[in-house]
Amino acid sequence: LLHWLEEIPAQVLFAHPRLGIYSSQALVLSGKLTAADHQLQAIEAGYESRLAPLTPELHGKIAAVRATAAIHKADPASAKEQAQRAIDLLPPSDPSLASVMLIYGNAAQMSGDIPLSIQWLRQAADLARQNNDLSTRLMALASLLVGLTMQGKLHQVETVCLEALDEVNSQLGAGDWPLPTLAMIYHRLGNIRLERYDLAGAEQGLTRALRIAENSNYLSVVVNAYGGLSGLRSSQGNFFQAIELIEKGMQAIHRRESTIYLDLCQALRAEYW
């Protein structure tokens, strides 16, 4: 998508703000946060000063992109503020509302309010199902699994994982579909099996998560996949491989402008050392 958008002259791109917003969102998901912020500022400045004013809907979409960027900067307060602004401005029929609810839920989780996070993530998953948006639904479920794990509800975690995988198989068929969200589901399922010391089941889930994640440019998915498999190698007593895997995750972070997960990776590496 970014490659196609880069082929469009800047003056044409900013004459069509939706294209500019899509471009900014893709930049955020690729870890190019400064470039995304510059684009959003250019869209706002151009339309407020020279052209027609932006509609409330487009202001809402810009707020949604900024909320996503705030998550990547590990700034949950800003993420919640921008997500709430997007929810207030976007029309109820907008299919991206589920994604914004997902961001709010992730921000609440990041700030430690797990019950609030679970509430928003369930809403996001339900709305995504109504919109037949499998990708956002899986992303919401993957984040929901983190909250349920924090509450110690491991049976619920496994149930949600298996139901999500059944949903993918029924809609797409079995296979390693290049969905970042699918990698997150396998990662969480592998971790649950590791908690139960089912090393064979953990190996199956975590290696599959990494295989899918390596075809994805989603930072959180890539880092979680490396982190999950490093935990398995640590449990097997293979600390050299565990360190190598977590350092690959850290390299993925350093290639971007994001700081999310860096502290966790450093802590895991110290533990393995």
Side-chain angles (χ1 to χ4, degrees):
L1 176 60
L2 282 172
H3 173 72
W4 290 335
L5 291 167
E6 285 165 1
E7 295 296 310
I8 299 173
Q11 66 270 23
V12 177
L13 188 70
F14 292 113
H16 299 81
R18 288 179 189 275
L19 285 178
I21 293 168
Y22 289 143
S23 176
S24 301
Q25 179 78 354
L27 287 168
V28 167
L29 295 175
S30 300
K32 300 173 182 177
L33 305 183
T34 302
D37 187 52
H38 288 164
Q39 277 201 358
L40 292 176
Q41 289 182 37
I43 293 167
E44 289 174 324
Y47 265 70
E48 299 303 340
S49 64
R50 297 190 305 275
L51 304 171
L54 290 170
T55 63
E57 178 194 3
L58 291 176
H59 277 298
K61 289 186 178 297
I62 288 172
V65 177
R66 286 186 168 137
T68 307
I71 288 288
H72 282 259
K73 293 176 183 175
D75 183 355
S78 179
K80 284 193 282 188
E81 179 185 347
Q82 292 293 333
Q84 187 62 61
R85 174 172 165 77
I87 290 167
D88 292 341
L89 290 172
L90 291 171
S93 60
D94 193 302
S96 66
L97 265 178
S99 297
V100 179
M101 291 177 177
L102 164 63
I103 293 166
Y104 198 106
N106 282 339
Q109 189 177 92
M110 193 178 287
S111 59
D113 192 340
I114 305 308
L116 180 64
S117 169
I118 287 175
Q119 174 189 330
W120 277 96
L121 293 170
R122 287 192 189 280
Q123 286 185 61
D126 291 345
L127 183 57
R129 180 168 54 188
Q130 291 174 31
N131 294 336
N132 199 28
D133 180 355
L134 180 62
S135 180
T136 301
R137 175 165 167 76
L138 291 178
M139 189 73 79
L141 291 177
S143 295
L144 175 64
L145 293 172
V146 177
L148 292 174
T149 301
M150 288 177 172
Q151 291 184 330
K153 298 176 179 177
L154 303 190
H155 289 294
Q156 283 191 40
V157 171
E158 186 171 33
T159 299
V160 172
C161 283
L162 295 175
E163 287 177 353
L165 293 176
D166 284 344
E167 204 167 332
V168 172
N169 291 339
S170 67
Q171 292 196 37
L172 303 178
D176 287 345
W177 297 101
L179 291 169
T181 45
L182 188 58
M184 294 172 75
I185 302 292
Y186 276 117
H187 164 255
R188 189 54 52 182
L189 184 60
N191 274 349
I192 288 298
R193 289 171 174 170
L194 182 57
E195 285 283 336
R196 294 176 174 158
Y197 213 67
D198 174 8
L199 297 186
E203 178 86 35
Q204 183 182 31
L206 293 169
T207 53
R208 196 163 186 181
L210 183 57
R211 189 165 63 243
I212 297 169
E214 284 178 334
N215 292 321
S216 161
N217 201 30
Y218 275 57
L219 178 61
S220 59
V221 175
V222 174
V223 174
N224 273 315
Y226 279 119
L229 196 56
S230 76
L232 173 60
R233 295 293 176 255
S234 171
S235 296
Q236 294 169 326
N238 194 335
F239 295 105
F240 290 108
Q241 275 194 22
I243 292 167
E244 182 182 352
L245 285 164
I246 208 66
E247 287 182 342
K248 285 183 178 179
M250 293 172 71
Q251 288 166 15
I253 296 171
H254 288 310
R255 285 195 296 269
R256 296 161 171 85
E257 298 173 54
S258 178
T259 57
I260 192 171
Y261 300 116
L262 185 58
D263 288 349
L264 175 61
C265 288
Q266 290 172 332
L268 285 173
R269 183 173 62 175
E271 181 183 339
Y272 301 152
W273 281 344

Coordinates of all heavy atoms in Angstrom, one line a residue, residues 187-237:
H187 N 0.2 -17.4 19.2 CA 1.2 -17.0 20.3 C 0.5 -17.2 21.6 O 1.1 -17.7 22.6 CB 1.6 -15.5 20.1 CG 2.3 -14.9 21.3 ND1 1.6 -14.0 22.1 CD2 3.5 -15.1 21.8 CE1 2.4 -13.6 23.0 NE2 3.6 -14.3 22.9
R188 N -0.7 -16.7 21.8 CA -1.3 -16.8 23.1 C -1.7 -18.2 23.4 O -1.5 -18.7 24.6 CB -2.6 -15.9 23.1 CG -3.3 -15.8 24.4 CD -2.4 -15.3 25.5 NE -1.7 -14.0 25.1 CZ -0.8 -13.4 25.9 NH1 -0.6 -13.9 27.1 NH2 -0.2 -12.3 25.5
L189 N -2.1 -19.0 22.4 CA -2.4 -20.4 22.7 C -1.1 -21.2 23.1 O -1.1 -22.0 24.0 CB -3.0 -21.1 21.4 CG -3.5 -22.5 21.5 CD1 -4.5 -22.7 22.6 CD2 -4.0 -23.0 20.1
G190 N 0.0 -20.9 22.4 CA 1.3 -21.5 22.7 C 1.7 -21.2 24.1 O 2.2 -22.0 24.9
N191 N 1.5 -19.9 24.5 CA 1.9 -19.5 25.9 C 1.0 -20.2 27.0 O 1.5 -20.6 28.0 CB 1.7 -18.0 26.1 CG 2.9 -17.3 25.6 OD1 4.0 -17.9 25.4 ND2 2.8 -15.9 25.5
I192 N -0.3 -20.4 26.7 CA -1.1 -21.1 27.6 C -0.6 -22.6 27.8 O -0.5 -23.1 28.9 CB -2.6 -21.1 27.2 CG1 -3.2 -19.7 27.3 CG2 -3.4 -22.2 27.9 CD1 -3.2 -19.3 28.8
R193 N -0.3 -23.2 26.7 CA 0.2 -24.6 26.8 C 1.6 -24.6 27.5 O 1.9 -25.6 28.2 CB 0.3 -25.2 25.4 CG -1.1 -25.4 24.8 CD -1.1 -25.8 23.3 NE -2.4 -26.2 22.9 CZ -2.8 -26.4 21.7 NH1 -1.9 -26.2 20.7 NH2 -4.0 -26.7 21.4
L194 N 2.4 -23.6 27.3 CA 3.6 -23.5 28.1 C 3.4 -23.4 29.6 O 4.1 -24.0 30.4 CB 4.5 -22.3 27.6 CG 5.9 -22.1 28.2 CD1 6.7 -23.4 28.0 CD2 6.5 -20.9 27.6
E195 N 2.4 -22.6 30.0 CA 2.0 -22.5 31.4 C 1.7 -23.8 32.0 O 1.9 -24.1 33.1 CB 0.8 -21.6 31.5 CG 1.0 -20.1 31.3 CD 1.7 -19.4 32.5 OE1 1.5 -20.0 33.6 OE2 2.4 -18.4 32.4
R196 N 1.1 -24.7 31.1 CA 0.7 -26.1 31.6 C 1.8 -27.1 31.4 O 1.7 -28.3 31.6 CB -0.5 -26.5 30.8 CG -1.8 -25.7 31.1 CD -2.9 -26.1 30.3 NE -4.1 -25.4 30.7 CZ -5.2 -25.2 29.9 NH1 -5.2 -25.7 28.7 NH2 -6.3 -24.6 30.4
Y197 N 3.0 -26.6 31.0 CA 4.2 -27.4 30.7 C 3.9 -28.5 29.6 O 4.5 -29.5 29.6 CB 4.7 -28.0 31.9 CG 6.2 -28.1 31.9 CD1 7.0 -27.0 31.9 CD2 6.9 -29.4 31.8 CE1 8.4 -27.1 31.7 CE2 8.2 -29.5 31.7 CZ 9.0 -28.3 31.7 OH 10.4 -28.4 31.5
D198 N 3.0 -28.1 28.7 CA 2.8 -28.9 27.5 C 3.8 -28.4 26.4 O 3.4 -27.6 25.6 CB 1.3 -28.8 27.0 CG 1.1 -29.5 25.7 OD1 2.0 -30.2 25.2 OD2 -0.1 -29.3 25.1
L199 N 5.0 -28.9 26.5 CA 6.1 -28.3 25.6 C 5.8 -28.6 24.2 O 6.1 -27.8 23.3 CB 7.4 -28.8 26.1 CG 7.9 -28.5 27.5 CD1 9.3 -28.9 27.8 CD2 7.7 -27.0 27.7
A200 N 5.3 -29.8 23.9 CA 5.0 -30.1 22.5 C 3.9 -29.2 21.9 O 4.0 -28.7 20.8 CB 4.6 -31.6 22.3
G201 N 2.8 -29.0 22.7 CA 1.8 -28.1 22.2 C 2.3 -26.6 22.1 O 1.9 -25.9 21.2
A202 N 3.1 -26.2 23.1 CA 3.7 -24.9 23.0 C 4.5 -24.7 21.8 O 4.5 -23.7 21.1 CB 4.5 -24.6 24.3
E203 N 5.4 -25.7 21.5 CA 6.2 -25.6 20.3 C 5.4 -25.5 19.1 O 5.7 -24.6 18.2 CB 7.1 -26.9 20.2 CG 8.0 -27.0 19.0 CD 9.3 -26.3 19.3 OE1 9.8 -26.4 20.4 OE2 9.9 -25.7 18.3
Q204 N 4.3 -26.2 19.0 CA 3.5 -26.2 17.8 C 2.9 -24.8 17.6 O 2.9 -24.2 16.5 CB 2.4 -27.2 17.9 CG 1.5 -27.3 16.7 CD 0.4 -28.3 16.8 OE1 -0.1 -28.6 18.0 NE2 -0.1 -28.9 15.8
G205 N 2.3 -24.2 18.7 CA 1.7 -22.9 18.6 C 2.6 -21.8 18.4 O 2.4 -20.9 17.6
L206 N 3.7 -21.8 19.1 CA 4.7 -20.7 19.1 C 5.5 -20.6 17.8 O 5.8 -19.5 17.3 CB 5.6 -20.7 20.3 CG 4.9 -20.4 21.6 CD1 5.8 -20.7 22.8 CD2 4.4 -19.0 21.7
T207 N 5.9 -21.8 17.3 CA 6.6 -21.8 16.0 C 5.7 -21.4 14.9 O 6.1 -20.7 13.9 CB 7.2 -23.2 15.7 OG1 6.2 -24.2 15.8 CG2 8.3 -23.5 16.7
R208 N 4.4 -21.8 14.9 CA 3.5 -21.3 13.9 C 3.3 -19.8 14.0 O 3.2 -19.2 13.0 CB 2.2 -22.1 14.1 CG 1.3 -22.0 12.8 CD 0.2 -23.1 12.9 NE -0.5 -23.1 11.6 CZ -1.5 -23.9 11.4 NH1 -1.9 -24.8 12.3 NH2 -2.2 -23.9 10.3
A209 N 3.2 -19.3 15.2 CA 3.0 -17.9 15.4 C 4.2 -17.1 14.8 O 4.0 -16.1 14.0 CB 2.9 -17.5 16.9
L210 N 5.4 -17.6 15.0 CA 6.6 -16.9 14.4 C 6.6 -17.0 12.9 O 7.0 -16.0 12.2 CB 7.9 -17.5 15.0 CG 9.2 -16.8 14.6 CD1 9.1 -15.3 14.9 CD2 10.4 -17.5 15.3
R211 N 6.3 -18.2 12.4 CA 6.2 -18.4 10.9 C 5.3 -17.4 10.3 O 5.6 -16.8 9.2 CB 5.8 -19.8 10.6 CG 6.0 -20.2 9.2 CD 6.0 -21.7 9.0 NE 4.7 -22.3 9.3 CZ 4.5 -23.2 10.3 NH1 5.6 -23.6 11.0 NH2 3.3 -23.7 10.6
I212 N 4.1 -17.2 10.8 CA 3.2 -16.2 10.3 C 3.6 -14.8 10.5 O 3.5 -14.0 9.6 CB 1.8 -16.5 10.9 CG1 1.2 -17.9 10.6 CG2 0.8 -15.4 10.4 CD1 0.0 -18.3 11.4
A213 N 4.2 -14.5 11.7 CA 4.6 -13.2 12.0 C 5.7 -12.7 11.1 O 5.8 -11.5 10.8 CB 5.0 -13.1 13.5
E214 N 6.6 -13.6 10.7 CA 7.7 -13.1 9.9 C 7.3 -12.6 8.5 O 8.0 -11.9 7.9 CB 8.7 -14.3 9.8 CG 9.6 -14.5 11.0 CD 10.5 -15.7 10.9 OE1 10.2 -16.6 10.2 OE2 11.5 -15.6 11.7
N215 N 6.1 -13.0 8.1 CA 5.5 -12.4 6.9 C 4.7 -11.2 7.1 O 4.0 -10.7 6.2 CB 4.6 -13.5 6.2 CG 5.4 -14.7 5.7 OD1 6.5 -14.5 5.2 ND2 4.9 -15.9 5.9
S216 N 4.8 -10.6 8.4 CA 4.0 -9.5 8.7 C 4.9 -8.3 9.1 O 6.0 -8.5 9.5 CB 3.1 -9.8 9.9 OG 2.7 -8.6 10.6
N217 N 4.5 -7.1 8.8 CA 5.2 -5.9 9.2 C 4.7 -5.3 10.5 O 5.1 -4.2 10.8 CB 5.3 -4.9 8.1 CG 6.4 -3.9 8.2 OD1 7.5 -4.3 8.7 ND2 6.2 -2.7 7.8
Y218 N 3.8 -6.0 11.2 CA 3.2 -5.5 12.4 C 4.2 -5.7 13.5 O 4.5 -6.8 13.9 CB 1.9 -6.2 12.7 CG 0.7 -5.6 12.0 CD1 0.6 -5.5 10.7 CD2 -0.4 -5.2 12.8 CE1 -0.5 -5.0 10.0 CE2 -1.6 -4.7 12.1 CZ -1.6 -4.6 10.8 OH -2.7 -4.1 10.1
L219 N 4.7 -4.6 14.1 CA 5.7 -4.7 15.1 C 5.3 -5.5 16.3 O 6.1 -6.4 16.8 CB 6.2 -3.3 15.6 CG 7.2 -3.3 16.7 CD1 8.5 -3.9 16.2 CD2 7.5 -1.8 17.1
S220 N 4.1 -5.3 16.9 CA 3.7 -6.0 18.1 C 3.7 -7.5 17.8 O 4.0 -8.3 18.7 CB 2.4 -5.5 18.6 OG 1.4 -5.6 17.6
V221 N 3.2 -7.9 16.6 CA 3.1 -9.3 16.3 C 4.5 -10.0 16.2 O 4.7 -11.0 16.8 CB 2.3 -9.5 15.0 CG1 2.3 -10.9 14.6 CG2 0.9 -8.9 15.1
V222 N 5.4 -9.3 15.5 CA 6.7 -9.8 15.4 C 7.4 -10.0 16.7 O 8.0 -11.0 17.0 CB 7.6 -8.9 14.4 CG1 9.0 -9.4 14.4 CG2 7.0 -8.9 13.0
V223 N 7.4 -8.9 17.5 CA 8.1 -9.0 18.8 C 7.5 -10.0 19.8 O 8.2 -10.8 20.4 CB 8.1 -7.6 19.5 CG1 8.6 -7.6 20.9 CG2 8.8 -6.6 18.7
N224 N 6.1 -10.1 19.8 CA 5.5 -11.1 20.6 C 5.8 -12.5 20.2 O 6.0 -13.4 21.1 CB 4.0 -10.9 20.6 CG 3.5 -9.9 21.7 OD1 3.9 -10.0 22.8 ND2 2.6 -9.0 21.3
A225 N 5.9 -12.7 18.9 CA 6.3 -14.1 18.4 C 7.7 -14.5 18.8 O 7.9 -15.6 19.3 CB 6.2 -14.1 16.9
Y226 N 8.6 -13.6 18.7 CA 10.0 -13.9 19.2 C 10.0 -14.1 20.7 O 10.7 -15.0 21.2 CB 11.0 -12.7 18.8 CG 11.4 -12.8 17.3 CD1 11.2 -11.8 16.4 CD2 12.2 -13.9 16.9 CE1 11.6 -11.8 15.1 CE2 12.6 -14.0 15.6 CZ 12.3 -12.9 14.7 OH 12.8 -13.0 13.4
G227 N 9.3 -13.2 21.4 CA 9.3 -13.3 22.9 C 8.7 -14.6 23.3 O 9.2 -15.3 24.3
G228 N 7.6 -15.0 22.7 CA 6.9 -16.3 23.1 C 7.8 -17.5 22.9 O 8.0 -18.4 23.7
L229 N 8.5 -17.6 21.7 CA 9.3 -18.7 21.4 C 10.6 -18.7 22.3 O 11.1 -19.7 22.7 CB 9.7 -18.7 19.9 CG 10.3 -20.0 19.4 CD1 9.4 -21.2 19.7 CD2 10.6 -19.9 17.9
S230 N 11.1 -17.5 22.6 CA 12.2 -17.4 23.5 C 11.9 -18.0 24.9 O 12.7 -18.6 25.6 CB 12.7 -16.0 23.6 OG 11.9 -15.2 24.5
G231 N 10.6 -17.7 25.3 CA 10.2 -18.3 26.6 C 10.2 -19.8 26.6 O 10.5 -20.4 27.6
L232 N 9.8 -20.4 25.5 CA 9.8 -21.8 25.4 C 11.2 -22.4 25.4 O 11.5 -23.3 26.1 CB 9.1 -22.3 24.1 CG 9.2 -23.7 23.7 CD1 8.5 -24.6 24.8 CD2 8.6 -24.0 22.4
R233 N 12.1 -21.7 24.7 CA 13.5 -22.2 24.7 C 14.1 -22.1 26.1 O 14.9 -22.9 26.5 CB 14.3 -21.3 23.7 CG 13.9 -21.5 22.2 CD 14.2 -22.9 21.7 NE 13.7 -23.1 20.4 CZ 12.6 -23.8 20.1 NH1 11.9 -24.5 21.1 NH2 12.2 -24.0 18.8
S234 N 13.7 -21.0 26.8 CA 14.2 -20.9 28.2 C 13.7 -22.0 29.1 O 14.5 -22.6 29.9 CB 13.7 -19.5 28.8 OG 14.0 -19.4 30.1
S235 N 12.4 -22.4 28.9 CA 11.9 -23.5 29.7 C 12.5 -24.8 29.4 O 12.6 -25.7 30.2 CB 10.3 -23.6 29.4 OG 9.7 -22.5 29.9
Q236 N 13.0 -24.9 28.1 CA 13.8 -26.1 27.7 C 15.2 -26.1 28.1 O 16.0 -27.0 27.9 CB 13.7 -26.3 26.2 CG 12.2 -26.6 25.7 CD 12.1 -26.4 24.2 OE1 12.8 -25.6 23.6 NE2 11.2 -27.3 23.6
G237 N 15.7 -25.0 28.8 CA 17.0 -24.8 29.2 C 18.0 -24.4 28.2 O 19.2 -24.3 28.4

